[in-house]
Amino acid sequence: MENLDWKNLGFGYRKTEYNVRCYFRNGKWGELEVSSSEYINIHMGATALHYGQEAFEGMKAFKGNDGKIRIFRMADNAARMISSCEGIMMEKLPSEIFEKAVKLAVNLNKDFVPPHDSGASLYIRPLLIGTGPEIGVKPANEYLFIVFVMPVGPYFPEGFKPTDLVIMRQYDRAAPQGTGKYKVGGNYAASMVAGNKAKKGGYSAVLYLDSKEKKYLDECGPANFFGIKENTYITPESDSILPSITNKSLMTLAAELGLKVEKRKVPYEELATFEEVGACGTAAVISPVKRIYDADEDREFTYGNEPGPWSTKLYNKLRAIQYGDEPDQYGWITFAE
Ligand code: PLP
Ligand code: COI
């Protein structure tokens, strides 16, 4: 294994030793298989390639001070993958296979789990694709599930430093009653033009408004949105955003820290009233936001150049549970072995 600079990893693909695979063929799921190849051999007519039958998950494992590897909220990710399967008519992946494959992939690549004090973690990417060939638009009859892992640092290079978001109303990532609530590749393809434009403009992500009325906040490209004011944690309720497991965790922790928690429609105008704003997700953890620029109205909302006190408390609390520095009262942690 190469010598890794754990503290400066960034968020990107990195080869590790093994991945774990499971095939659905002839109407049933097979045994888990371990592979050291980064490649898959796939039929050119596979539905994943033509019609986007593809869903993925994103989760993390952390090394504690005790040397034990902790996987965060694995059962929630397994359940969300089933929901994605239902959303795009893929064969439902049983949670037991998901969890067994994740644990195996983590254990086989233990050496790649960053040390406790590095601030880095092992990113786990479960992937399910339709591999059976179809030329008419219909679900495949064969599927491949793969879990691969890699050590990562922060998604936004700034880490826990405030960044800027941009609102651009001419772009939507997901339609009302469409697939925005599923973790399927098509949503991410649909967000690339806007995401790229945002990055070029110096913004860390796009803040999408609801695509029907453009009146309410939806989410950021790769993360959910939250705002804090008057001792209340507020996060959008919307049918077209991904139900973030990080956000769900933060709502629990916010309540524990004494904040009120509101999950509801958040009108655009409320941006002017927040004391703190952040983007949250597995990759992003909490990315505090210092400024939101509305490119259509040439209007800006600012939240200070340093992370706010509540965002800092939430970040520290979440990280402490993930790294095993504080007890896990919620059953969020699964030990890899
Ligand atoms: N929203 C989108 C569109 C995402 O891709 C992600 C990342 O997974 C999130 C929100 C955050 O979800 P989670 O906290 O479950 O990682
Ligand atoms: C995650 O947070 O796990 C994500 O999937 C976000 C992004 C890398 C797509």
Side-chain angles (χ1 to χ4, degrees), residues 193-209:
V193 169
N196 195 43
K197 196 163 164 183
K199 292 249 158 61
K200 279 199 176 137
Y203 302 95
S204 63
V206 179
L207 174 57
Y208 290 96
L209 302 184

mmCIF file with all atom_site columns, all heavy atoms in Angstrom, residues 193-209:
data_model
loop_
_atom_site.group_PDB
_atom_site.id
_atom_site.type_symbol
_atom_site.label_atom_id
_atom_site.label_alt_id
_atom_site.label_comp_id
_atom_site.label_asym_id
_atom_site.label_entity_id
_atom_site.label_seq_id
_atom_site.pdbx_PDB_ins_code
_atom_site.Cartn_x
_atom_site.Cartn_y
_atom_site.Cartn_z
_atom_site.occupancy
_atom_site.B_iso_or_equiv
_atom_site.pdbx_formal_charge
_atom_site.auth_seq_id
_atom_site.auth_comp_id
_atom_site.auth_asym_id
_atom_site.auth_atom_id
_atom_site.pdbx_PDB_model_num
ATOM 1   N N   . VAL A 1 193 ? -24.590 20.413 -15.282 1.00 0.00 ? 193 VAL A N   1
ATOM 2   C CA  . VAL A 1 193 ? -24.394 21.701 -15.967 1.00 0.00 ? 193 VAL A CA  1
ATOM 3   C C   . VAL A 1 193 ? -24.430 22.835 -14.936 1.00 0.00 ? 193 VAL A C   1
ATOM 4   O O   . VAL A 1 193 ? -23.530 23.680 -14.865 1.00 0.00 ? 193 VAL A O   1
ATOM 5   C CB  . VAL A 1 193 ? -25.460 21.912 -17.071 1.00 0.00 ? 193 VAL A CB  1
ATOM 6   C CG1 . VAL A 1 193 ? -25.429 23.333 -17.591 1.00 0.00 ? 193 VAL A CG1 1
ATOM 7   C CG2 . VAL A 1 193 ? -25.226 20.923 -18.209 1.00 0.00 ? 193 VAL A CG2 1
ATOM 8   N N   . ALA A 1 194 ? -25.457 22.801 -14.089 1.00 0.00 ? 194 ALA A N   1
ATOM 9   C CA  . ALA A 1 194 ? -25.583 23.858 -13.076 1.00 0.00 ? 194 ALA A CA  1
ATOM 10  C C   . ALA A 1 194 ? -24.433 23.787 -12.071 1.00 0.00 ? 194 ALA A C   1
ATOM 11  O O   . ALA A 1 194 ? -23.856 24.813 -11.689 1.00 0.00 ? 194 ALA A O   1
ATOM 12  C CB  . ALA A 1 194 ? -26.919 23.727 -12.350 1.00 0.00 ? 194 ALA A CB  1
ATOM 13  N N   . GLY A 1 195 ? -24.081 22.559 -11.663 1.00 0.00 ? 195 GLY A N   1
ATOM 14  C CA  . GLY A 1 195 ? -23.015 22.387 -10.676 1.00 0.00 ? 195 GLY A CA  1
ATOM 15  C C   . GLY A 1 195 ? -21.682 22.903 -11.196 1.00 0.00 ? 195 GLY A C   1
ATOM 16  O O   . GLY A 1 195 ? -20.926 23.566 -10.481 1.00 0.00 ? 195 GLY A O   1
ATOM 17  N N   . ASN A 1 196 ? -21.429 22.624 -12.455 1.00 0.00 ? 196 ASN A N   1
ATOM 18  C CA  . ASN A 1 196 ? -20.186 23.055 -13.077 1.00 0.00 ? 196 ASN A CA  1
ATOM 19  C C   . ASN A 1 196 ? -20.124 24.588 -13.177 1.00 0.00 ? 196 ASN A C   1
ATOM 20  O O   . ASN A 1 196 ? -19.101 25.216 -12.905 1.00 0.00 ? 196 ASN A O   1
ATOM 21  C CB  . ASN A 1 196 ? -20.115 22.419 -14.478 1.00 0.00 ? 196 ASN A CB  1
ATOM 22  C CG  . ASN A 1 196 ? -18.732 22.514 -15.051 1.00 0.00 ? 196 ASN A CG  1
ATOM 23  O OD1 . ASN A 1 196 ? -17.766 22.280 -14.352 1.00 0.00 ? 196 ASN A OD1 1
ATOM 24  N ND2 . ASN A 1 196 ? -18.647 22.874 -16.314 1.00 0.00 ? 196 ASN A ND2 1
ATOM 25  N N   . LYS A 1 197 ? -21.260 25.166 -13.533 1.00 0.00 ? 197 LYS A N   1
ATOM 26  C CA  . LYS A 1 197 ? -21.335 26.633 -13.640 1.00 0.00 ? 197 LYS A CA  1
ATOM 27  C C   . LYS A 1 197 ? -21.090 27.269 -12.263 1.00 0.00 ? 197 LYS A C   1
ATOM 28  O O   . LYS A 1 197 ? -20.376 28.258 -12.132 1.00 0.00 ? 197 LYS A O   1
ATOM 29  C CB  . LYS A 1 197 ? -22.718 27.011 -14.173 1.00 0.00 ? 197 LYS A CB  1
ATOM 30  C CG  . LYS A 1 197 ? -22.804 28.410 -14.675 1.00 0.00 ? 197 LYS A CG  1
ATOM 31  C CD  . LYS A 1 197 ? -24.033 28.578 -15.539 1.00 0.00 ? 197 LYS A CD  1
ATOM 32  C CE  . LYS A 1 197 ? -24.350 30.048 -15.727 1.00 0.00 ? 197 LYS A CE  1
ATOM 33  N NZ  . LYS A 1 197 ? -25.570 30.255 -16.501 1.00 0.00 ? 197 LYS A NZ  1
ATOM 34  N N   . ALA A 1 198 ? -21.680 26.646 -11.250 1.00 0.00 ? 198 ALA A N   1
ATOM 35  C CA  . ALA A 1 198 ? -21.508 27.161 -9.883  1.00 0.00 ? 198 ALA A CA  1
ATOM 36  C C   . ALA A 1 198 ? -20.026 27.106 -9.488  1.00 0.00 ? 198 ALA A C   1
ATOM 37  O O   . ALA A 1 198 ? -19.466 28.081 -8.973  1.00 0.00 ? 198 ALA A O   1
ATOM 38  C CB  . ALA A 1 198 ? -22.348 26.340 -8.905  1.00 0.00 ? 198 ALA A CB  1
ATOM 39  N N   . LYS A 1 199 ? -19.386 25.974 -9.720  1.00 0.00 ? 199 LYS A N   1
ATOM 40  C CA  . LYS A 1 199 ? -17.970 25.799 -9.350  1.00 0.00 ? 199 LYS A CA  1
ATOM 41  C C   . LYS A 1 199 ? -17.106 26.836 -10.059 1.00 0.00 ? 199 LYS A C   1
ATOM 42  O O   . LYS A 1 199 ? -16.227 27.449 -9.460  1.00 0.00 ? 199 LYS A O   1
ATOM 43  C CB  . LYS A 1 199 ? -17.472 24.400 -9.734  1.00 0.00 ? 199 LYS A CB  1
ATOM 44  C CG  . LYS A 1 199 ? -18.103 23.305 -8.938  1.00 0.00 ? 199 LYS A CG  1
ATOM 45  C CD  . LYS A 1 199 ? -17.135 22.601 -7.973  1.00 0.00 ? 199 LYS A CD  1
ATOM 46  C CE  . LYS A 1 199 ? -17.908 21.916 -6.856  1.00 0.00 ? 199 LYS A CE  1
ATOM 47  N NZ  . LYS A 1 199 ? -18.852 20.876 -7.344  1.00 0.00 ? 199 LYS A NZ  1
ATOM 48  N N   . LYS A 1 200 ? -17.392 27.030 -11.361 1.00 0.00 ? 200 LYS A N   1
ATOM 49  C CA  . LYS A 1 200 ? -16.612 28.010 -12.137 1.00 0.00 ? 200 LYS A CA  1
ATOM 50  C C   . LYS A 1 200 ? -16.771 29.413 -11.566 1.00 0.00 ? 200 LYS A C   1
ATOM 51  O O   . LYS A 1 200 ? -15.871 30.231 -11.649 1.00 0.00 ? 200 LYS A O   1
ATOM 52  C CB  . LYS A 1 200 ? -17.062 28.011 -13.593 1.00 0.00 ? 200 LYS A CB  1
ATOM 53  C CG  . LYS A 1 200 ? -16.447 26.884 -14.392 1.00 0.00 ? 200 LYS A CG  1
ATOM 54  C CD  . LYS A 1 200 ? -16.540 27.193 -15.879 1.00 0.00 ? 200 LYS A CD  1
ATOM 55  C CE  . LYS A 1 200 ? -15.840 26.111 -16.676 1.00 0.00 ? 200 LYS A CE  1
ATOM 56  N NZ  . LYS A 1 200 ? -16.628 25.721 -17.849 1.00 0.00 ? 200 LYS A NZ  1
ATOM 57  N N   . GLY A 1 201 ? -17.944 29.671 -10.986 1.00 0.00 ? 201 GLY A N   1
ATOM 58  C CA  . GLY A 1 201 ? -18.187 30.985 -10.396 1.00 0.00 ? 201 GLY A CA  1
ATOM 59  C C   . GLY A 1 201 ? -17.643 31.115 -8.981  1.00 0.00 ? 201 GLY A C   1
ATOM 60  O O   . GLY A 1 201 ? -17.828 32.133 -8.331  1.00 0.00 ? 201 GLY A O   1
ATOM 61  N N   . GLY A 1 202 ? -17.015 30.047 -8.468  1.00 0.00 ? 202 GLY A N   1
ATOM 62  C CA  . GLY A 1 202 ? -16.423 30.109 -7.133  1.00 0.00 ? 202 GLY A CA  1
ATOM 63  C C   . GLY A 1 202 ? -17.377 29.670 -6.024  1.00 0.00 ? 202 GLY A C   1
ATOM 64  O O   . GLY A 1 202 ? -17.102 29.883 -4.838  1.00 0.00 ? 202 GLY A O   1
ATOM 65  N N   . TYR A 1 203 ? -18.514 29.084 -6.402  1.00 0.00 ? 203 TYR A N   1
ATOM 66  C CA  . TYR A 1 203 ? -19.478 28.612 -5.395  1.00 0.00 ? 203 TYR A CA  1
ATOM 67  C C   . TYR A 1 203 ? -19.247 27.125 -5.137  1.00 0.00 ? 203 TYR A C   1
ATOM 68  O O   . TYR A 1 203 ? -18.833 26.400 -6.034  1.00 0.00 ? 203 TYR A O   1
ATOM 69  C CB  . TYR A 1 203 ? -20.908 28.828 -5.897  1.00 0.00 ? 203 TYR A CB  1
ATOM 70  C CG  . TYR A 1 203 ? -21.174 30.276 -6.218  1.00 0.00 ? 203 TYR A CG  1
ATOM 71  C CD1 . TYR A 1 203 ? -21.032 30.750 -7.516  1.00 0.00 ? 203 TYR A CD1 1
ATOM 72  C CD2 . TYR A 1 203 ? -21.501 31.169 -5.211  1.00 0.00 ? 203 TYR A CD2 1
ATOM 73  C CE1 . TYR A 1 203 ? -21.226 32.086 -7.807  1.00 0.00 ? 203 TYR A CE1 1
ATOM 74  C CE2 . TYR A 1 203 ? -21.694 32.509 -5.488  1.00 0.00 ? 203 TYR A CE2 1
ATOM 75  C CZ  . TYR A 1 203 ? -21.553 32.966 -6.792  1.00 0.00 ? 203 TYR A CZ  1
ATOM 76  O OH  . TYR A 1 203 ? -21.743 34.292 -7.061  1.00 0.00 ? 203 TYR A OH  1
ATOM 77  N N   . SER A 1 204 ? -19.540 26.683 -3.921  1.00 0.00 ? 204 SER A N   1
ATOM 78  C CA  . SER A 1 204 ? -19.316 25.264 -3.651  1.00 0.00 ? 204 SER A CA  1
ATOM 79  C C   . SER A 1 204 ? -20.462 24.417 -4.197  1.00 0.00 ? 204 SER A C   1
ATOM 80  O O   . SER A 1 204 ? -20.263 23.258 -4.539  1.00 0.00 ? 204 SER A O   1
ATOM 81  C CB  . SER A 1 204 ? -19.129 25.013 -2.154  1.00 0.00 ? 204 SER A CB  1
ATOM 82  O OG  . SER A 1 204 ? -20.288 25.352 -1.461  1.00 0.00 ? 204 SER A OG  1
ATOM 83  N N   . ALA A 1 205 ? -21.652 24.970 -4.323  1.00 0.00 ? 205 ALA A N   1
ATOM 84  C CA  . ALA A 1 205 ? -22.785 24.196 -4.844  1.00 0.00 ? 205 ALA A CA  1
ATOM 85  C C   . ALA A 1 205 ? -23.931 25.127 -5.226  1.00 0.00 ? 205 ALA A C   1
ATOM 86  O O   . ALA A 1 205 ? -23.937 26.317 -4.882  1.00 0.00 ? 205 ALA A O   1
ATOM 87  C CB  . ALA A 1 205 ? -23.267 23.194 -3.784  1.00 0.00 ? 205 ALA A CB  1
ATOM 88  N N   . VAL A 1 206 ? -24.906 24.534 -5.920  1.00 0.00 ? 206 VAL A N   1
ATOM 89  C CA  . VAL A 1 206 ? -26.134 25.256 -6.279  1.00 0.00 ? 206 VAL A CA  1
ATOM 90  C C   . VAL A 1 206 ? -27.139 25.035 -5.159  1.00 0.00 ? 206 VAL A C   1
ATOM 91  O O   . VAL A 1 206 ? -27.248 23.930 -4.636  1.00 0.00 ? 206 VAL A O   1
ATOM 92  C CB  . VAL A 1 206 ? -26.728 24.666 -7.585  1.00 0.00 ? 206 VAL A CB  1
ATOM 93  C CG1 . VAL A 1 206 ? -28.023 25.382 -7.973  1.00 0.00 ? 206 VAL A CG1 1
ATOM 94  C CG2 . VAL A 1 206 ? -25.715 24.727 -8.712  1.00 0.00 ? 206 VAL A CG2 1
ATOM 95  N N   . LEU A 1 207 ? -27.864 26.055 -4.811  1.00 0.00 ? 207 LEU A N   1
ATOM 96  C CA  . LEU A 1 207 ? -29.017 25.864 -3.919  1.00 0.00 ? 207 LEU A CA  1
ATOM 97  C C   . LEU A 1 207 ? -30.255 25.880 -4.807  1.00 0.00 ? 207 LEU A C   1
ATOM 98  O O   . LEU A 1 207 ? -30.595 26.910 -5.403  1.00 0.00 ? 207 LEU A O   1
ATOM 99  C CB  . LEU A 1 207 ? -29.075 26.973 -2.857  1.00 0.00 ? 207 LEU A CB  1
ATOM 100 C CG  . LEU A 1 207 ? -30.318 26.962 -1.968  1.00 0.00 ? 207 LEU A CG  1
ATOM 101 C CD1 . LEU A 1 207 ? -30.506 25.637 -1.245  1.00 0.00 ? 207 LEU A CD1 1
ATOM 102 C CD2 . LEU A 1 207 ? -30.266 28.106 -0.952  1.00 0.00 ? 207 LEU A CD2 1
ATOM 103 N N   . TYR A 1 208 ? -30.891 24.709 -4.932  1.00 0.00 ? 208 TYR A N   1
ATOM 104 C CA  . TYR A 1 208 ? -32.061 24.598 -5.803  1.00 0.00 ? 208 TYR A CA  1
ATOM 105 C C   . TYR A 1 208 ? -33.319 25.046 -5.088  1.00 0.00 ? 208 TYR A C   1
ATOM 106 O O   . TYR A 1 208 ? -33.519 24.733 -3.915  1.00 0.00 ? 208 TYR A O   1
ATOM 107 C CB  . TYR A 1 208 ? -32.245 23.146 -6.262  1.00 0.00 ? 208 TYR A CB  1
ATOM 108 C CG  . TYR A 1 208 ? -31.169 22.701 -7.232  1.00 0.00 ? 208 TYR A CG  1
ATOM 109 C CD1 . TYR A 1 208 ? -30.046 22.011 -6.787  1.00 0.00 ? 208 TYR A CD1 1
ATOM 110 C CD2 . TYR A 1 208 ? -31.276 22.992 -8.586  1.00 0.00 ? 208 TYR A CD2 1
ATOM 111 C CE1 . TYR A 1 208 ? -29.052 21.617 -7.674  1.00 0.00 ? 208 TYR A CE1 1
ATOM 112 C CE2 . TYR A 1 208 ? -30.285 22.599 -9.482  1.00 0.00 ? 208 TYR A CE2 1
ATOM 113 C CZ  . TYR A 1 208 ? -29.184 21.911 -9.020  1.00 0.00 ? 208 TYR A CZ  1
ATOM 114 O OH  . TYR A 1 208 ? -28.203 21.532 -9.888  1.00 0.00 ? 208 TYR A OH  1
ATOM 115 N N   . LEU A 1 209 ? -34.167 25.754 -5.844  1.00 0.00 ? 209 LEU A N   1
ATOM 116 C CA  . LEU A 1 209 ? -35.503 26.069 -5.328  1.00 0.00 ? 209 LEU A CA  1
ATOM 117 C C   . LEU A 1 209 ? -36.464 24.998 -5.844  1.00 0.00 ? 209 LEU A C   1
ATOM 118 O O   . LEU A 1 209 ? -36.121 24.263 -6.778  1.00 0.00 ? 209 LEU A O   1
ATOM 119 C CB  . LEU A 1 209 ? -35.944 27.451 -5.830  1.00 0.00 ? 209 LEU A CB  1
ATOM 120 C CG  . LEU A 1 209 ? -35.025 28.616 -5.455  1.00 0.00 ? 209 LEU A CG  1
ATOM 121 C CD1 . LEU A 1 209 ? -35.627 29.934 -5.928  1.00 0.00 ? 209 LEU A CD1 1
ATOM 122 C CD2 . LEU A 1 209 ? -34.783 28.668 -3.942  1.00 0.00 ? 209 LEU A CD2 1
#
